[in-house]
Amino acid sequence: MGETVLKLPALDYAALAPMLILFFAACLGVLVEAFAPRGWRNPIQLVWSLLALVAALVAVVLRVPDVTAENAQTAVAAVSIDQAGLFLQGAILVLGIVSMLLFGERTLENGGPFVAQAAITVGSEPDRRQAAREPGATEVYPLVLFAVGGMMLFVTANDLLVMFVALEVFSLPLYLLCALARRKRLLSQEAALKYFLLGAYASAFFLFGVALVYGYAGAVDFRTIHTAIGAGTGNIVLLLIGLAMLAIGLLFKAAAAPFHVWTPDVYQGAPTPVTAFMAACTKVAAFGGLARVLYVGFDRTAWDYTPVLGVIAVLTMLLGAILAVTQTDLKRLLAYSSIANAGYLLVGVLGGGREGLSSMMFYLVAYGFLVIAAFAMLTLVRDADGEATHLSRWAGLGKRSPLFAGIFTFLLLAFAGIPLTSGFTAKFAVFGAAMGGNQTWLVLFGVLSSIILAFPYLRVVVMMWLSEPGETTPSVSIPGALTSAALMIGVLVTLVLGVWPSPVIELANSASDFIR
Amino acid sequence: MKYLSILTLAPLVGALVVAFVPRNKPQLAKQLALLVSLVVLGVAVAAWFAFDSGDTAQRLQLQESYTWIPAWGAKFSFGIDGIALVMLALTAVLTPLVILASWHDAERSKRSVPAYFALLLALEGTMIGTFAVSDVLLFYLFFEVMLVPMYFIIGSFGSDVPAKQRQYAAVKFFLYSLVGGLFMLAAVIGMWVLGGHTFDWQTLTNAEFSTIAQRWLFLGFFIAFAIKAPFFPFHTWLPDAGGAAPAGAAALLVGVMDKIGTFGILRYCLPLFPEASRWFAPWAIALSLVGIIYAALLAVGQNDLKRLVSYTSIAHFGFIGIGIFAFTFQAGSGAVLYMVNHGLATGLLFLVVGMFVARRGSTLVTDFGGAGKLMPLLAGIFFIAGMASLALPGLAPFVSEFLVLLGVFTVNKTVAVIATVGIILAAAYVLWMIQRTTQGNLNPALADVAPMKKDLNLREGIIVAPLIVLLIVLGFYPKPVLDVINPAVQATLSDVVTPERADPAPATSTVEAGK
């Protein structure tokens, strides 16, 4: 004895490759900031980030056929890159690529949507200089890469501590990104500060939950927690309070009521590309993580958490829908609709089993593309002050720009869950899963909130088509190639998933398996 | 031949093509839309002859099936029974006439003409879709998507009412229908989970649902259909929508779209949930009776022509309702025949009212008066349409109304007697409407309105002629339609009623009774 051998954990680099690619690319992106000439940074960063995301996606896809129950877990079972994890990672990457296109848009507004430095005020000399020739903050690209990498780790973390680290890795870049809007600066900075403060609270809750669960199970990895709950020897109070605190941290990110209050402010204040990115990718990450915690670690307490989370789901759906009715700003309206959608996702999760998981994953993909397309549309309606997001300003847009209004109407119908759009198939999937899991009451509340939620969407349609254009109706800008591409992808996916959802449903079905 | 998929897809493809006709070529868009609707009519006629109405024929015919979402057990599958066939034919007959009648409507609203005709075709395609499919999810899909074209037709192209009122009517229509649709969605999902993850109608009719589950599922479907039809007390959207929509679209709205409600009850509620249907039948009959009397009273008091016709429809839907839920063969086939005849009669009435309104520029009864002196021909047709609406013997609606009352009388005399009061009220509102608009002394204000002096023109003659011919022919010889309807009604009722209660009235005797 006497000789202690410290064994290095075995790392399966093939499984970790997607994340490694992203983190490496992000670090290199920071170096580009330091060394590349100012004028070159934007194209370099954009191409580099897109390449990194695509490379990571390729790595994920290549990994799919090799995954087995035995080799899914790596790094001492701290990371579990299983089929569901790969599906979620792939979803985050694809949605990340599409929203990255919005980040790169520079033709809508000279100088882009991001401010170069937080202290620069609108209309000042440096701001004008940016409008003339500078690209604005190109740091956003590495920040997005870090965030995407963190999200990918988050959905595959098999251990509460790794999960916490991943949570911070993807949250911190998001806080920064929110503060970088070039227009309506104070709103943006206020949003970032709010998000940061509340996010820090949520993280603290999560960490405290980890500690309590450790007190219960004596470990932080899901397999041990699962076993400990099965044995039932620990102090149940520690377990339940610990799980509740974990859930608070996760539901905060998922924007579920009553932890949703940051959402409208942050969605409104953040630069619109960031909002799109958050609405699509953060949702995937948050629900992927939540599902893994509930399905893998704590599935044996399902009897305890299902009613509580059911109440939260109902609250989220109703609150999101009712408050959406009163909104007059489109970004806030979409924020409240995203809260309601968090409720629908939760309904799917509570359906339980493979169906619950696969319906949730399908919903995440469908909703992600839809919401990116919707926010991309918002970036197009502009006046001298930037984006015109007040509802009243959209009056009569249908007469001036029928194509724009037509596409946006289609997206709103998708939000409302009208058939032939992905909104319908996705809703059907989660409600079906919940009904199959004997959660009929959740479906009834889901239907009720859908009815309420249809009204605000319809109001926008009425505004665009049936109202007369006013003096101040803003113009619809011609989107640049990048925004057009993002929009086209979003709209097409929304249509295809509505008409022919089979391939994605089958993919989600075959991937709906967490490895414990 | 793949009749049903062609019938469903042709108008939808046509709508897409018409939508992309440049705005400065409105004439081309109109001609194209008319052509498409005539092609659809031709295919529908072919489908009518391909349909086998013999006693040994299959219940669902002209079936087609294509894969759609195998993971959910949903298919693009088509198949019609006799009830669906007559509704489909009604849609195919009415749409070209409505397109002709709407020839100048889009210009009046100063909106894009191709868009209007594209919406009309999209409406036709989705409505035919609801009749032609045999997959419940696909039915739900068409049922919901149908709202979108109608919403824009009412909201953007209604021209007889102020913009605010139009918007209100469009949103109210959409929300009411959506509420019903979402209840149905919950029921569809529930049925899918309990019925073994399939949407196939034929498979589901054999599924055994527990009593409680049946009642809830029935309720989900029934609320959707009762809002669509509409039955009292879900009816308040119809007068607004009917009043705000352009007259042609209103004819389609009341003539066909609302029938999807009663069609849905016959196709989905009764065969899928027979036990629950029996349990709810007294309630449904009560609602229908209230609808007959209440809507007729409101119709008597209306001063707006289009709203008046809408209210008369609600009353008529009450008759269809008691006919369906009486669960006798005569009442059932009477109710289905009523659906067809009402489509023709009220369609005609709406179209003629549209002609009046387009000339006068007002929908108010009091703005007319003695119009028959200026336009004897149009007034005469208005009179015929009105007589059809009050079910004058010799015109088609009489046969169906008589069959319904006869069938109801055999099982419940009280209901039949109360419903008869509706006939008297129908005479009151129709005759009063005709008297106040076309009879009596000429309203002096009319003399200054130049268009009021133009009687029926050729286009309008072409529109009304087929409807009047059909109303008279079916009034004397309803056999061709009844022959198609009867096996389907028999099959539907045998799902619901235990054999000893179904009175075995053969088809021929009902025809005798009809005459």
Side-chain angles (χ1 to χ4, degrees):
Chain A
M1 308 296 281
E3 181 190 12
T4 316
V5 181
L6 189 63
K7 265 176 65 183
L8 285 173
L11 292 180
D12 182 350
Y13 288 101
L16 296 174
M19 287 180 268
L20 295 176
I21 291 172
L22 282 183
F23 288 128
F24 169 73
C27 293
L28 214 71
V30 176
L31 290 181
V32 170
E33 279 303 304
F35 294 110
R38 200 174 285 261
W40 285 80
R41 282 180 203 164
N42 192 51
I44 293 177
Q45 291 280 28
L46 176 63
V47 172
W48 177 244
S49 320
L50 281 176
L51 276 179
L53 288 169
V54 171
L57 184 62
V58 170
V60 165
V61 173
L62 288 181
R63 179 71 189 160
V64 171
D66 298 337
V67 173
T68 60
E70 286 75 40
N71 73 359
Q73 299 189 339
T74 180
V76 222
V79 182
S80 177
I81 300 173
D82 43 27
Q83 292 290 357
L86 284 172
F87 184 96
L88 292 165
Q89 286 193 333
I92 292 172
L93 283 168
V94 173
L95 295 171
I97 290 170
V98 181
S99 38
M100 187 60 96
L101 298 173
L102 297 181
F103 279 85
E105 180 65 61
R106 287 292 179 278
T107 57
L108 282 175
E109 184 178 15
N110 289 330
F114 301 103
V115 75
Q117 283 164 18
I120 297 175
T121 50
V122 177
S124 64
E125 174 57 27
D127 185 54
R128 281 201 298 271
R129 217 164 49 221
Q130 181 178 346
R133 58 178 185 276
E134 287 173 17
T138 43
E139 290 90 343
V140 292
Y141 298 104
L143 285 174
V144 171
L145 290 186
F146 275 122
V148 171
M151 289 169 184
M152 287 168 64
L153 182 59
F154 190 70
V155 296
T156 51
N158 196 34
D159 165 321
L160 287 172
L161 270 184
V162 174
M163 203 167 201
F164 176 73
V165 173
L167 179 70
E168 293 304 297
V169 170
F170 85 76
S171 295
L172 287 171
L174 285 179
Y175 302 145
L176 288 173
L177 285 168
C178 286
L180 289 177
R182 216 171 129 222
R183 308 285 187 162
K184 301 178 181 132
R185 296 292 310 288
L186 285 180
L187 213 57
S188 166
Q189 291 175 359
E190 181 194 324
L193 194 64
K194 246 180 209 169
Y195 193 22
F196 171 66
L197 281 179
L198 291 176
Y201 271 118
S203 296
F205 269 104
F206 187 88
L207 199 55
F208 199 33
V210 175
L212 290 177
V213 171
Y214 182 78
Y216 173 81
V220 287
D221 68 289
F222 290 147
R223 192 188 295 176
T224 319
I225 293 169
H226 173 82
T227 321
I229 295 172
T233 47
N235 184 345
I236 189 85
V237 177
L238 283 181
L239 173 71
L240 292 182
I241 297 181
L243 177 59
M245 291 196 159
L246 288 179
I248 289 175
L250 292 166
L251 292 172
F252 172 84
K253 280 289 167 220
F259 316 107
H260 67 284
V261 281
W262 59 275
T263 317
D265 290 342
V266 174
Y267 275 34
Q268 186 187 17
T272 307
V274 177
T275 313
F277 175 66
M278 282 198 300
C281 295
T282 311
K283 272 256 174 345
V284 181
F287 276 96
L290 182 69
R292 192 180 287 275
V293 168
L294 296 181
Y295 281 41
V296 179
F298 295 86
D299 57 329
R300 283 175 175 165
T301 53
W303 279 101
D304 297 312
Y305 70 67
T306 303
V308 180
L309 285 183
V311 171
I312 286 183
V314 168
L315 203 64
T316 308
M317 291 187 290
L318 290 183
L319 217 67
I322 292 169
L323 291 179
V325 173
T326 63
Q327 298 308 312
T328 51
D329 183 283
L330 276 157
K331 275 174 104 176
R332 288 183 83 85
L333 197 161
L334 287 183
Y336 278 106
S337 116
S338 117
I339 294 170
N341 276 289
Y344 302 138
L345 279 160
L346 215 47
V347 169
V349 173
L350 293 175
R354 288 181 67 101
E355 291 219 336
L357 184 59
S358 85
S359 74
M360 179 204 82
M361 295 199 296
F362 178 67
Y363 199 108
L364 284 169
V365 173
Y367 179 74
F369 280 103
L370 173 58
V371 86
I372 289 179
F375 279 112
M377 298 298 277
L378 290 192
T379 63
L380 301 182
V381 183
R382 301 179 156 271
D383 59 10
D385 294 332
E387 291 159 15
T389 55
H390 199 274
L391 188 53
S392 62
R393 306 288 308 279
W394 284 46
L397 266 185
K399 281 203 182 127
R400 297 219 177 150
S401 324
L403 183 65
F404 171 89
I407 294 176
F408 201 69
T409 304
F410 173 72
L411 295 176
L412 288 169
L413 292 176
F415 276 117
I418 302 292
L420 294 185
T421 65
S422 66
F424 168 69
T425 43
K427 240 176 221 161
F428 184 88
V430 291
F431 288 170
M435 198 86 99
N438 278 326
Q439 302 287 338
T440 309
W441 68 294
L442 290 179
V443 177
L444 290 179
F445 276 105
V447 165
L448 187 68
S449 93
S450 305
I451 293 168
I452 302 171
L453 202 51
F455 182 71
Y457 298 139
L458 209 56
R459 222 168 42 144
V460 182
V461 176
V462 170
M463 217 46 173
M464 288 194 300
W465 292 102
L466 311 187
S467 298
E468 294 302 313
E471 289 285 306
T472 59
T473 300
S475 60
V476 175
S477 313
I478 312 281
L482 292 171
T483 306
S484 308
L487 247 176
M488 208 137 80
I489 295 171
V491 171
L492 271 182
V493 171
T494 302
L495 181 67
V496 169
L497 288 188
V499 178
W500 200 262
S502 251
V504 181
I505 289 176
E506 268 154 31
L507 187 65
N509 276 346
S510 66
S512 67
D513 217 2
F514 283 131
I515 304 293
R516 184 170 287 118
Chain B
M1 201 171 134
K2 304 187 179 314
Y3 294 104
L4 296 180
S5 50
I6 292 174
L7 278 172
T8 309
L9 287 179
L12 296 177
V13 174
L16 213 60
V17 174
V18 171
F20 283 99
V21 170
R23 276 183 85 149
N24 54 11
K25 288 186 185 150
Q27 217 55 35
L28 177 66
K30 293 172 185 176
Q31 287 158 358
L32 213 56
L34 186 63
L35 181 72
V36 172
S37 66
L38 286 174
V39 169
V40 171
L41 177 59
V43 180
V45 170
W48 182 285
F49 287 109
F51 188 89
D52 175 11
S53 54
D55 289 337
T56 53
Q58 268 190 308
R59 181 153 177 194
L60 288 191
Q61 297 182 34
L62 309 181
Q63 292 198 7
E64 296 170 48
S65 188
Y66 312 95
T67 50
W68 181 25
I69 315 178
W72 291 350
K75 287 189 187 131
F76 275 112
S77 56
F78 299 88
I80 51 173
D81 57 4
I83 304 172
L85 179 67
V86 292
M87 292 315 298
L88 214 151
L90 176 68
T91 317
V93 168
L94 272 183
T95 308
L97 302 178
V98 163
I99 288 177
L100 262 182
S102 309
W103 213 247
H104 302 300
D105 275 3
E107 276 97 340
R108 280 205 295 153
S109 69
K110 302 185 195 68
R111 304 257 179 165
S112 158
V113 175
Y116 181 69
F117 288 92
L119 287 171
L120 277 181
L121 284 180
L123 189 63
E124 182 185 25
T126 46
M127 289 193 304
I128 289 180
T130 53
F131 298 127
V133 299
S134 63
D135 181 283
V136 182
L137 190 69
L138 203 55
F139 172 79
Y140 176 78
L141 187 150
F142 282 117
F143 190 80
E144 286 287 85
V145 171
M146 188 167 55
L147 304 180
V148 178
M150 200 64 202
Y151 168 80
F152 283 107
I153 287 175
I154 297 174
S156 295
F157 295 96
S159 47
D160 303 321
V161 291
K164 271 271 171 254
Q165 199 180 327
R166 218 163 61 212
Q167 286 179 19
Y168 170 79
V171 171
K172 190 171 178 181
F173 160 76
F174 196 90
L175 285 181
Y176 262 71
S177 307
L178 194 67
V179 168
L182 285 169
F183 277 112
M184 187 165 122
L185 175 63
V188 167
I189 295 173
M191 189 173 72
W192 176 67
V193 169
L194 297 174
H197 288 52
T198 177
F199 288 109
D200 182 53
W201 181 83
Q202 214 125 36
T203 318
L204 284 168
T205 46
N206 298 324
E208 297 283 333
F209 301 108
S210 71
T211 311
I212 292 296
Q214 258 197 39
R215 285 179 192 169
W216 282 109
L217 295 178
F218 176 92
L219 209 58
F221 277 89
F222 183 74
I223 289 177
F225 295 141
I227 290 177
K228 198 73 161 189
F231 288 135
F232 177 87
F234 308 106
H235 64 281
T236 62
W237 63 269
L238 182 62
D240 290 316
L252 274 188
L253 172 75
V254 177
V256 181
M257 192 193 260
D258 290 353
K259 306 293 191 317
I260 292 167
T262 46
F263 169 78
I265 292 175
L266 284 165
R267 170 62 85 75
Y268 295 96
C269 285
L270 303 194
L272 294 179
F273 319 115
E275 201 280 336
S277 302
R278 283 196 298 276
W279 197 75
F280 278 104
W283 300 96
I285 289 179
L287 288 184
S288 306
L289 275 184
V290 175
I292 292 175
I293 306 294
Y294 177 72
L297 286 173
L298 286 178
V300 172
Q302 282 303 311
N303 188 30
D304 181 307
L305 277 171
K306 283 158 85 182
R307 290 178 73 90
L308 195 157
V309 179
S310 304
Y311 275 116
T312 69
S313 287
I314 299 170
H316 291 148
F317 275 103
F319 278 101
I320 301 177
I322 58 170
I324 292 173
F325 283 98
F327 299 142
T328 64
F329 178 70
Q330 281 175 339
S333 54
V336 177
L337 190 60
Y338 208 128
M339 284 159 61
V340 180
N341 293 339
H342 175 260
L344 298 173
T346 307
L348 177 66
L349 195 55
F350 247 125
L351 292 174
V352 176
V353 163
M355 292 167 193
F356 271 90
V357 169
R359 285 172 166 75
R360 180 67 178 89
S362 161
T363 56
L364 297 183
V365 173
T366 41
D367 281 345
F368 294 88
K373 293 203 170 55
L374 298 173
M375 307 177 294
L377 219 52
L378 193 53
I381 289 164
F382 191 38
F383 182 76
I384 296 176
M387 289 306 111
S389 192
L390 66 74
L392 187 79
L395 293 170
F398 169 73
V399 183
S400 42
E401 199 158 293
F402 189 76
L403 273 177
V404 167
L405 289 174
L406 201 67
V408 172
F409 192 81
T410 55
V411 286
N412 192 329
K413 296 189 173 51
T414 326
V415 170
V417 169
I418 296 175
T420 316
V421 177
I423 301 181
I424 301 167
L425 287 171
Y429 57 69
V430 168
L431 291 175
W432 213 0
M433 170 178 79
I434 289 171
Q435 185 201 0
R436 287 190 296 168
T437 49
T438 61
Q439 309 295 309
N441 293 331
L442 184 65
N443 182 343
L446 285 184
D448 306 330
V449 185
M452 285 299 286
K453 297 192 176 71
K454 292 193 192 116
D455 207 347
L456 200 72
N457 61 31
L458 180 65
R459 177 178 63 89
E460 291 165 339
I462 296 173
I463 297 166
V464 296
L467 290 174
I468 293 177
V469 168
L470 278 173
L471 282 172
I472 294 174
V473 168
L474 292 180
F476 285 97
Y477 190 63
K479 190 169 179 302
V481 178
L482 278 174
D483 281 350
V484 173
I485 292 172
N486 282 342
V489 172
Q490 190 84 62
T492 307
L493 287 182
S494 66
D495 285 340
V496 184
V497 189
T498 40
E500 61 268 22
R501 245 201 81 186
D503 52 334
T508 44
S509 79
T510 53
V511 175
E512 301 300 338
K515 282 177 183 170

